[in-house]
């Protein structure tokens, strides 16, 4: 593997020295481009009290391309599919090299507070959300309790 | 005691005319450092051989090969980047020609940089005629 770019080193250091509230991101010791991430479910969302695990990978072309991020913890959300893939504009067409790991993780945290069933990745969940939002939220809470809460 | 100078090297220091703590908005490395692609000035730098960067110190003109590497590209939106970094970004489809910071169309503020930009990217700079007056500012 080629030498780690300075930018990645700086970002990793800052994530540890000055962490974002409710978010942790730790580089894997064998591969410093691979991060184990946790995000706390935002208050007043169906994900409250949940702790969600994600993986984040910085491709070779980073920061010209966005980090690859995926939920590992099962989650019921219209913009996150069964494989944990996330539909978020800044991860795809609205990526900019001025963004960074911390801002991307903040955007994902915000996505948990504001599900967007009109731009779904998971059609079934989005349909559920549009048909009966209260019921969909109840399912999301149930998932949070089942899969994202430490027993 | 008599000293005979047989040989001497002149030494100089330089830095870009940007605030000392300002870093490239893309690679987050100071402008006085190289972009991530160029580990050693001049060595791995594949470009710039035939171009003179008027943005730079005159004394550096003999090192034109790596001067371009350092050349911060300053957009008309006043966001600056290493020339290599911004060219690489503008080359991606995702960029849509926009400044990474403010998402306006990235146009170069400096007329000398405009020539460099065109020479390096092989396409016309998106710079509009109207803003060409501005001169390069040697440090």
């Amino acid at each position: 593997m080629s030498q780690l770019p300075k930018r990645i080193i700086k970002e990793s250091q800052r994530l540890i020295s000055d962490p974002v509230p409710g978010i942790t991101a730790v580089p894997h010791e064998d591969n410093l481009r691979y991060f184990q991430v946790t995000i706390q479910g935002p208050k007043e969302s169906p994900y409250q009290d949940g702790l969600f695990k994600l993986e984040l990978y910085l491709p070779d072309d980073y920061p010209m391309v966005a980090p690859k991020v995926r939920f590992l913890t099962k989650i019921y959300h219209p913009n996150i599919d069964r494989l944990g893939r996330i539909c978020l504009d800044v991860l795809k067409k609205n990526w900019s090299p001025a963004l960074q790991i911390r801002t991307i993780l903040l955007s994902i945290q915000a996505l948990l507070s504001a599900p967007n069933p009109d731009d779904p990745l998971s059609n079934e969940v989005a349909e559920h959300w549009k048909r009966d939002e209260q019921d969909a939220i109840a399912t999301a809470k149930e998932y949070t309790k089942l899969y994202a809460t430490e027993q | 005691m008599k000293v005979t100078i047989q040989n001497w090297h002149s030494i100089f220091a330089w830095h870009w005319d940007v605030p000392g703590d300002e870093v490239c908005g893309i690679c987050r490395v100071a402008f006085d450092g190289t972009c991530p692609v160029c580990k050693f000035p001049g060595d791995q730098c594949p470009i710039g051989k035939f171009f003179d960067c008027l943005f730079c110190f005159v004394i550096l003109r003999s090192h034109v090969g790596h001067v371009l590497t350092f050349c911060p590209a300053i957009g008309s939106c006043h966001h600056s980047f290493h020339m290599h970094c911004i060219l690489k970004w503008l080359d991606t489809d995702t960029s849509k020609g926009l400044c990474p910071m403010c998402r306006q169309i990235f146009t170069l503020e400096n007329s000398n940089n405009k020539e460099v930009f065109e020479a390096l990217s092989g396409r016309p700079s998106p710079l509009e005629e109207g803003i060409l007056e501005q001169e390069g500012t040697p440090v």
Side-chain angles (χ1 to χ4, degrees):
Chain A
M1 203 175 84
S2 61
Q3 210 201 332
L4 207 64
K6 255 192 202 138
R7 166 169 168 156
I8 297 181
I9 297 169
K10 280 191 194 172
E11 280 198 55
S12 307
Q13 284 169 343
R14 198 166 156 231
L15 281 167
I16 290 159
S17 69
D18 177 22
V20 191
I23 295 174
T24 65
V26 183
H28 197 275
E29 56 183 33
D30 293 335
N31 183 351
L32 297 172
R33 288 176 175 268
Y34 181 86
F35 292 73
Q36 282 162 322
V37 176
T38 64
I39 297 182
Q40 282 174 13
K43 286 217 165 59
E44 284 159 42
S45 78
Y47 313 100
Q48 184 174 340
D49 301 327
L51 186 69
F52 297 86
K53 287 185 186 157
L54 297 89
E55 59 178 8
L56 181 146
Y57 182 71
L58 303 173
D60 284 346
D61 288 343
Y62 179 82
M64 297 303 160
V65 300
K68 299 209 179 306
V69 200
R70 190 170 79 94
F71 271 83
L72 297 173
T73 304
K74 234 175 140 166
I75 182 167
Y76 199 75
H77 190 290
N79 310 104
I80 301 163
D81 75 3
R82 251 184 298 180
L83 297 172
R85 293 177 300 193
I86 306 162
C87 177
L88 185 62
D89 62 342
V90 286
L91 285 174
K92 290 261 165 20
K93 63 177 200 300
N94 282 343
W95 166 252
S96 150
L99 297 169
Q100 42 179 318
I101 301 171
R102 61 197 300 126
T103 47
I104 286 297
L105 294 178
L106 271 168
S107 301
I108 294 172
Q109 197 183 39
L111 186 68
L112 296 186
S113 292
N116 179 10
D118 293 323
D119 183 22
L121 191 61
S122 176
N123 267 318
E124 273 170 49
V125 181
E127 283 305 314
H128 190 187
W129 225 272
K130 286 202 237 183
R131 197 173 59 238
D132 186 347
E133 193 174 328
Q134 285 316 310
D135 194 55
I137 288 174
T139 310
K141 281 183 183 165
E142 211 171 287
Y143 268 55
T144 306
K145 209 169 174 189
L146 262 175
Y147 303 109
T149 317
E150 298 263 332
Q151 296 301 323
Chain B
M1 194 176 82
K2 192 179 168 189
V3 177
T4 314
I5 298 170
Q6 297 185 320
N7 208 343
W8 63 280
H9 298 281
S10 57
I11 294 170
F12 60 88
W14 64 275
H15 70 92
W16 288 106
D17 191 12
V18 288
D21 54 350
E22 200 172 300
V23 297
C24 170
I26 295 176
C27 70
R28 311 287 153 97
V29 173
F31 287 118
D32 292 346
T34 59
C35 79
V37 185
C38 303
K39 293 204 171 85
F40 304 101
D43 187 23
Q44 298 186 2
C45 187
I47 51 168
K49 228 181 192 161
F50 305 109
F51 311 110
D52 208 321
C53 182
L54 300 175
F55 200 82
C56 315
F57 259 155
V58 175
I59 194 163
L60 282 176
R61 290 209 186 160
S62 52
H63 297 266
V64 169
H66 72 81
V67 168
L68 283 178
T69 308
F70 295 121
C71 200
I74 301 179
S76 51
C77 54
H78 290 265
H79 291 123
S80 14
F81 310 93
H82 287 117
M83 186 65 90
H84 275 164
C85 294
I86 190 67
L87 284 177
K88 204 170 167 193
W89 166 243
L90 293 175
D91 219 33
T92 65
D93 292 335
T94 329
S95 81
K96 295 177 278 256
L98 305 182
C99 169
M101 309 297 248
C102 61
R103 299 188 197 270
Q104 300 181 60
I105 294 285
F106 188 84
T107 57
L108 286 167
E109 180 184 73
N110 185 290
S111 60
N112 303 311
N113 271 348
K114 176 182 173 278
E115 284 148 30
V116 170
F117 182 95
E118 290 181 351
L120 296 186
S121 63
R123 60 165 180 244
S125 158
L127 189 72
E128 286 155 38
E129 293 297 315
I131 356 177
L132 280 175
E133 272 80 54
Q134 212 142 4
E135 277 295 303
T137 40
V139 184

